[in-house]
């Protein structure tokens, strides 16, 4: 029987999912008896829920049948090495929750030119203790309309100047042999205007127009605009774009060249799931679901975080567990905490394996600007109270801006009102108030709400750029202390720390984007500069800025790998320090206890703590210490360790 005629048979038998295991044919022949058993077991455990959820959304048995058929095909095609990895990860589902994971996000071209270049630089990443690499968007895109690669032209082709799918698959193989994981973006919400579907839609082909949201008049878009906020109010205002070729408006929540996909159409859903599985089968370990809250649209709502989004993510999780259970889903949910946590799903019906700890990240920078840890302590208490199954990705900076999504109700109690406080934060990081040494730029300033977000590298925001420019050694020492202290504090949080490429050597802002017309109006490129290998070499020279930061971070990540208390599964809590400038975090697991104490002020402060349970080891100096009333220099930190 050929694959084609087999599919026809499959459609008819798919009413009864159990029967899907009974067919014979090309794919069947490729599975060993053991694989067949594994697939059957995984499918049997999940098919009732999978079918239920699919039918709830689409009520379409033949499309469901096709989906199940293709799931099997992707399982068949999955290479043996990956299947082996899946099986071992299935047996140890907490494999990514130890303290040994350290991530790095990097743009392939900025970092090493192309995929082969990245392969050549794996030793450097290993030297930095990195074992999880997030390759920023590398799929085919058109340079003039790429949104940093988040406008995908072809989900199955690597951008030619970066390499090929074969290079990718070789890179993932090599990474696995070094125990490194590889993450890629899966831009689910939209395709580029250059994607085959959009090109066909522009010819007026109804089949393809139905994969997007097209309207022949502006009245419905107008109604959407009344309830849907804008993502890029100044660089890409509005949520619709007029397409003259077909005389219609199309929904574009992001840029005008990023067309929102219509997940009400099961063809869109199925095809995007096949794209997800295709990427998983290239050997990716972590799939970052880009802009996931936006994927379902309903008139009269904000078109964010709708219940159907959760159904889709849950289906994706189930599909992953059947075909590639070693692959993790990382949700990009840049929302307030009450909207973020539901993307973990429940312990019984999980959705994403990991989520970005976005509120903690923004609150960290607020703490730097105010030298007041109260809100940060409260935020950490909220995160620490969540089930340990929920794994956060902790970060200081990423490729995007910092949005000031803070808990303003609490800040109001401290006398900080939302609008003036945001203005203060932006001015602080511009370097113009609050004795700030920061350098950075505003992002998407909205003249109506006076709202703006912020851009800049960790080093520039910490004062390294200014101190370097002014050749001020004392200011440089202070800035380096702040930079390393921030990393130390990040490493004390529960979850997986992820460094933004360049931060490990204190790389500063890159203003050259202003000369590139495709980038000039997007200040996020300020912190997306080329990686300076000539500076990275200086990490080997004692006393350089690069060496002080690189070695500082490396020492911390080395400790994380060794000490059980850094596992995501450890107990974590904050301590009262009696000083609003000083944050203290405790962690405990398997008899190992760590107390981290962090001074967010440039002046000397004391943590008025009293952990009188014996003598600790000062992990940074190797000396013995008491965790009682600990004095810290400006931007200083301590990490105390004790084994019980
Ligand atoms: C995500 C990306 C961001 C991009 C947007 C649209 O938020 O992080 O860089 O602009 O999605 O795809």
């Amino acid at each position: 029987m050929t694959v084609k005629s087999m599919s026809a048979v499959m459609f008819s038998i798919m009413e009864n999912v159990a029967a899907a295991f009974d067919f014979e044919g090309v794919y069947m022949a490729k599975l060993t008896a053991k694989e067949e058993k594994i697939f059957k077991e995984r499918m049997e455990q999940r098919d009732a829920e999978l079918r239920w959820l699919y039918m709830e959304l689409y009520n379409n048995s033949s499309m469901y049948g096709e989906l199940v058929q293709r799931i099997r095909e992707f399982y068949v095609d999955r290479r043996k090495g990956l299947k082996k990895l899946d099986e071992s990860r299935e047996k140890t589902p907490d494999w990514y929750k130890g303290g040994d994971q350290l991530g790095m996000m990097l743009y392939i071209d900025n970092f090493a030119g192309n995929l082969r270049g990245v392969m050549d630089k794996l030793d450097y990443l290993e030297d930095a203790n990195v074992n999880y690499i997030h390759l920023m968007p590398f799929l085919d895109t058109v340079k003039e309309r790429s949104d940093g690669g988040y406008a995908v032209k072809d989900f199955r082709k690597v951008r030619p100047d970066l390499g090929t799918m074969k290079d990718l698959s070789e890179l993932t193989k090599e990474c696995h042999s070094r125990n490194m994981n590889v993450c890629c973006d899966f831009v689910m919400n939209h395709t580029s205007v250059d994607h085959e579907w959009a090109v066909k839609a522009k010819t007026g082909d109804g089949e393809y127009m139905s994969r997007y949201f097209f309207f022949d008049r502006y009245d419905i878009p107008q109604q959407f605009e009344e309830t849907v906020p804008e993502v890029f109010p100044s660089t890409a205002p509005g949520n619709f774009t007029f397409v003259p070729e077909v005389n219609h408006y199309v929904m574009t929540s992001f840029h005008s060249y990023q067309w929102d996909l219509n997940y009400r159409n099961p063809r869109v859903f199925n095809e995007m799931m096949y794209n997800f599985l295709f990427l998983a089968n290239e050997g990716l370990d972590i799939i970052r679901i880009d802009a996931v809250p936006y994927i379902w649209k309903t008139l009269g709502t904000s078109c964010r975080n709708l219940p159907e989004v959760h159904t889709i993510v849950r289906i994706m999780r189930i599909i992953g567990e059947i075909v590639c259970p070693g692959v993790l889903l990382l949700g990009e949910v840049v929302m307030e905490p009450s909207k973020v946590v539901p993307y973990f799903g429940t312990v019984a019906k999980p959705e994403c394996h990991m989520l970005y700890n976005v509120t903690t990240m923004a609150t960290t920078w607020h703490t730097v600007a105010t030298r007041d840890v109260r809100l940060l302590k409260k935020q950490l208490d909220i995160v620490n109270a969540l089930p340990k199954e929920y794994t956060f990705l902790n970060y200081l900076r990423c490729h995007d801006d910092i949005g000031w999504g803070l808990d303003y109700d609490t800040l109001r109690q401290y006398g900080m009102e939302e609008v003036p406080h945001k203005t203060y934060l932006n001015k602080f990081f511009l370097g113009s108030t609050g004795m700030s040494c920061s350098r950075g730029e505003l992002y998407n300033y909205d003249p109506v709400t006076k709202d703006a977000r912020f851009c800049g590298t960790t080093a520039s925001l910490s004062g390294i750029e200014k101190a370097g420019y002014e050749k001020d050694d004392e200011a440089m020492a202070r800035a380096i202390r702040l930079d390393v202290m921030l990393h130390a504090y990040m490493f004390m949080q529960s979850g997986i720390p992820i460094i933004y490429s360049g931060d490990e050597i204190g790389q500063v802002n890159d203003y050259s984007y202003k000369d590139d017309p495709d980038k000039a109006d997007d200040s996020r490129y300020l912190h997306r500069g080329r990686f300076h290998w000539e500076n990275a070499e200086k990490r080997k020279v004692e006393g350089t800025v690069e060496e002080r930061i690189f070695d500082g971070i490396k020492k911390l990540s080395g400790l994380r790998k060794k000490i059980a208390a850094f596992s995501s599964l450890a107990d974590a809590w904050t301590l009262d320090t009696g000083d609003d400038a000083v944050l203290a975090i405790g962690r405990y697991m398997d008899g190992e206890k760590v107390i981290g104490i962090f001074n967010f002020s440039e002046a000397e402060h004391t943590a008025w703590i009293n952990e009188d349970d014996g003598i600790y080891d000062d992990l940074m100096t190797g000396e013995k210490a008491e965790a009682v009333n600990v004095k810290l220099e400006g931007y200083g930190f301590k990490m105390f360790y004790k084994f019980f």
Side-chain angles (χ1 to χ4, degrees):
M1 200 188 291
T2 65
V3 180
K4 234 186 174 143
S5 61
M6 184 181 73
S7 321
V9 173
M10 282 301 301
F11 287 156
S12 62
I13 59 174
M14 275 303 151
E15 290 301 322
N16 174 1
V17 176
F21 307 113
D22 298 330
F23 65 86
E24 292 177 355
V26 178
Y27 278 94
M28 190 79 165
K30 280 203 209 164
L31 288 178
T32 63
K34 187 183 159 218
E35 286 171 337
E36 185 62 45
K37 185 168 167 277
I38 290 174
F39 183 77
K40 188 172 172 177
E41 273 171 18
R42 286 186 194 153
M43 194 72 204
E44 274 176 357
Q45 270 172 26
R46 295 171 180 86
D47 70 317
E49 188 189 353
L50 181 61
R51 186 184 175 89
W52 175 275
L53 294 175
Y54 192 94
M55 288 304 159
E56 190 180 86
L57 277 187
Y58 300 118
N59 194 21
N60 188 324
S61 325
S62 70
M63 287 300 287
Y64 180 70
E66 180 199 292
L67 179 72
V68 175
Q69 158 79 2
R70 296 295 303 274
I71 285 176
R72 185 187 167 87
E73 290 172 13
F74 278 103
Y75 176 72
V76 171
D77 289 343
R78 193 157 172 80
R79 57 181 194 239
K80 292 253 181 293
L82 294 176
K83 283 182 180 158
K84 227 172 123 192
L85 199 58
D86 289 335
E87 284 155 35
S88 81
R89 288 176 175 175
E90 252 184 327
K91 283 189 201 118
T92 48
D94 289 336
W95 64 270
Y96 57 97
K97 294 181 185 164
D100 57 329
Q101 298 288 322
L102 176 64
M104 183 176 282
M105 318 171 215
L106 55 88
Y107 280 96
I108 296 168
D109 47 0
N110 285 340
F111 181 70
N114 55 32
L115 284 164
R116 298 220 156 264
V118 175
M119 185 96 110
D120 293 339
K121 299 293 185 191
L122 292 179
D123 290 345
Y124 170 77
L125 295 174
E126 274 186 336
D127 185 28
N129 278 336
V130 168
N131 56 1
Y132 154 177
I133 316 168
H134 176 178
L135 299 171
M136 299 301 291
F138 52 75
L139 293 174
D140 204 11
T141 185
V142 171
K143 186 177 170 289
E144 299 75 41
R145 338 175 247 283
S146 85
D147 184 25
Y150 286 97
V152 177
K153 182 180 171 197
D154 187 337
F155 289 94
R156 306 214 179 179
K157 185 174 168 215
V158 173
R159 215 175 84 196
D161 60 307
L162 300 178
T164 60
M165 277 296 167
K166 188 162 171 278
D167 296 337
L168 176 68
S169 155
E170 278 169 19
L171 177 64
T172 59
K173 261 190 210 151
E174 176 60 25
C175 286
H176 288 155
S177 75
R178 295 175 184 236
N179 266 326
M180 289 174 139
N181 302 308
V182 188
C183 168
C184 83
D185 287 86
F186 181 50
V187 187
M188 247 187 116
N189 178 68
H190 43 261
T191 74
S192 147
V193 66
D194 302 289
H195 187 277
E196 183 195 350
W197 297 354
V199 171
K200 287 186 175 154
K202 271 206 272 183
T203 67
D205 184 330
E207 155 68 21
Y208 290 91
M209 286 176 81
S210 73
R211 298 185 185 193
Y212 301 95
F213 295 95
F214 272 100
F215 301 95
D216 56 357
R217 296 204 319 259
Y218 193 64
D219 51 352
I220 304 279
Q222 172 74 51
Q223 287 177 43
F224 269 107
E225 292 292 11
E226 281 160 22
T227 56
V228 182
E230 292 172 312
V231 179
F232 300 129
S234 71
T235 48
N239 288 291
F240 291 86
T241 300
F242 184 67
V243 184
E245 290 89 339
V246 282
N247 203 16
H248 272 62
Y249 296 88
V250 72
M251 191 171 211
T252 51
S253 302
F254 291 83
H255 291 99
S256 58
Y257 51 80
Q258 288 163 306
W259 290 11
D260 288 70
L261 283 168
N262 177 8
Y263 279 90
R264 288 172 184 270
N265 180 343
R267 172 55 57 209
V268 167
F269 176 83
N270 281 22
E271 293 297 333
M272 290 304 282
M273 288 307 103
Y274 309 152
N275 287 331
F276 152 53
L277 293 175
F278 174 85
L279 290 170
N281 276 359
E282 293 303 306
L284 277 317
D285 301 274
I286 300 152
I287 303 280
R288 174 189 181 274
I289 323 175
D290 182 62
V292 61
Y294 300 80
I295 60 178
W296 194 270
K297 320 288 194 290
T298 298
L299 191 61
T301 72
S302 66
C303 295
R304 312 274 196 271
N305 309 302
L306 297 178
E308 292 84 352
V309 174
H310 290 280
T311 307
I312 289 178
V313 180
R314 175 75 191 135
I315 298 182
M316 221 172 142
R317 172 77 179 242
I318 297 174
I319 292 175
E321 284 174 355
I322 297 169
V323 179
C324 46
V327 173
L328 305 176
L329 297 181
L330 162 64
E332 191 228 1
V333 185
V334 182
M335 300 274 154
E336 62 269 33
S338 62
K339 299 289 187 319
V340 174
V341 173
Y343 284 87
F344 282 120
T346 61
V347 175
K349 292 193 188 315
E351 295 178 23
C352 293
H353 296 82
M354 305 189 293
L355 295 171
Y356 289 93
N357 201 348
V358 57
T359 305
T360 303
M361 180 279 292
T363 308
T364 302
W365 290 108
H366 146 91
T367 310
V368 170
T370 56
R371 292 93 166 168
D372 179 344
V373 305
R374 284 177 294 169
L375 185 67
L376 186 56
K377 182 176 184 309
K378 185 172 179 193
Q379 168 63 21
L380 293 176
D381 289 341
I382 293 171
V383 175
N384 288 336
L386 292 169
K388 295 207 177 76
E389 285 78 5
Y390 296 175
T391 306
F392 279 106
L393 228 69
N394 297 305
Y395 62 115
L396 295 169
R397 292 296 297 114
C398 70
H399 67 296
D400 279 331
D401 48 291
I402 306 170
W404 300 119
L406 306 172
D407 172 358
Y408 289 100
D409 289 337
T410 300
L411 283 180
R412 212 162 291 123
Q413 294 164 21
Y414 309 153
M416 299 178 211
E417 291 292 332
E418 178 164 349
V419 175
H421 187 56
K422 279 185 182 165
T423 308
Y424 169 75
L425 293 172
N426 284 327
K427 279 194 179 157
F428 180 90
F429 288 109
L430 284 169
S432 63
T433 194
M435 294 180 40
S436 162
C437 297
S438 166
R439 292 266 167 96
E441 290 184 346
L442 296 181
Y443 180 65
N444 264 272
Y445 172 69
D446 184 338
V448 182
T449 60
K450 304 256 183 293
D451 210 352
R453 285 122 70 178
F454 210 81
C455 294
T457 69
T458 303
S460 287
L461 299 183
S462 302
I464 288 170
E465 182 179 336
K466 183 167 186 274
Y469 185 76
E470 292 172 357
K471 301 201 169 35
D472 181 338
D473 290 347
E474 208 183 307
M476 181 60 90
R478 196 166 46 237
I480 292 174
R481 279 205 306 278
L482 172 58
D483 187 301
V484 176
M485 184 275 282
L486 288 173
H487 283 92
Y489 138 79
M490 170 171 79
F491 287 168
M492 270 304 278
Q493 293 175 47
S494 295
I496 300 176
I498 179 152
I499 296 177
Y500 188 59
S501 168
D503 280 3
E504 78 282 13
I505 54 162
Q507 190 156 304
V508 298
N509 294 335
D510 185 333
Y511 297 87
S512 65
Y513 79 95
K514 293 177 196 283
D515 304 326
D516 182 338
D518 297 328
K519 298 179 176 166
D521 68 355
D522 191 336
S523 55
R524 290 177 299 176
Y525 287 100
L526 181 66
H527 50 253
R528 295 178 182 173
R530 180 177 70 80
F531 185 74
H532 291 279
W533 284 102
E534 61 285 10
N535 291 345
E537 279 304 300
K538 294 190 207 151
R539 76 188 188 283
K540 299 171 188 160
V541 182
E542 209 182 317
T544 59
V545 173
E546 291 76 8
E547 181 261 347
R548 283 141 88 189
I549 296 178
F550 189 91
D551 283 359
I553 296 177
K554 184 172 172 173
K555 183 164 186 181
L556 291 161
S557 52
L559 291 170
R560 262 187 75 90
K561 283 181 199 287
K562 278 195 267 173
I563 298 173
F566 285 108
S567 155
S568 296
L569 301 169
D571 289 331
W573 65 97
T574 63
L575 286 78
D576 285 326
T577 63
D579 185 324
D580 285 346
V582 184
L583 178 79
I585 304 174
R587 305 189 63 81
Y588 177 86
M589 191 159 129
D590 294 346
E592 295 191 288
K593 180 176 171 187
V594 178
I595 302 281
I597 313 163
F598 309 94
N599 179 4
F600 277 78
S601 155
E602 55 274 74
E604 187 181 288
H605 278 258
T606 298
W608 302 104
I609 58 171
N610 189 12
E611 296 289 293
D612 58 354
D613 49 3
I615 299 295
Y616 285 77
D617 292 326
D618 180 329
L619 288 173
M620 304 317 289
T621 64
E623 291 163 4
K624 298 285 173 202
E626 278 197 309
V628 177
N629 300 344
V630 182
K631 197 181 270 182
L632 298 157
E633 64 177 329
Y635 294 142
F637 72 93
K638 301 261 184 204
M639 279 206 193
F640 289 161
Y641 169 84
K642 192 170 161 45
F643 182 67
F644 290 88

